[in-house]
Amino acid sequence: MAGRIIGALRRLNELGTQYYNAPYRAAIARAKRDEEDLFMLLVFSEMMGIPNPAAWSTLELQPLLMDRFHDWHTRMGMERSPLDHFRCC
């Protein structure tokens, strides 16, 4: 009996959270995308000729982010890859 009540309360909490967050989903997704775009710029800025004081810290992240690089540069309005030595298109 107590397990059913706890399960129902958890489900009610989940529905309440979804109802409350629904109007803000687009704004949250946009803010998250903008933050990721800025992070990608920071990671790949040294490769594009922009001085980056954190280059040594971000160098090890580049292989992890290469699969998302194409989506990022097209979203930033660049038809082709801005990197001369890296072609993704």
Side-chain angles (χ1 to χ4, degrees):
M1 182 72 170
R4 289 180 58 192
I5 293 173
I6 291 173
L9 288 175
R10 285 184 181 156
R11 179 70 180 144
L12 185 61
N13 183 31
E14 182 181 317
L15 290 173
T17 302
Q18 289 178 4
Y19 175 78
Y20 178 76
N21 291 334
Y24 308 109
R25 271 193 206 125
I28 292 170
R30 187 172 35 256
K32 182 179 181 220
R33 187 182 65 233
D34 290 346
E35 187 176 291
E36 287 178 357
D37 290 343
L38 181 63
F39 181 70
M40 291 286 282
L41 179 63
L42 179 67
V43 170
F44 290 104
S45 64
E46 190 72 27
M47 293 172 72
M48 290 188 279
I50 302 169
N52 180 4
W56 287 105
S57 301
T58 59
L59 187 61
E60 62 189 32
L61 297 174
Q62 287 178 0
L64 302 173
L65 298 174
M66 280 298 183
D67 58 336
R68 297 183 353 202
F69 183 76
H70 176 73
D71 295 332
W72 172 74
H73 81 75
T74 53
R75 194 169 50 244
M76 294 293 104
M78 298 176 246
E79 292 180 11
R80 302 268 181 232
S81 172
L83 307 176
D84 293 335
H85 59 281
F86 179 72
R87 301 276 183 224
C88 67
C89 306

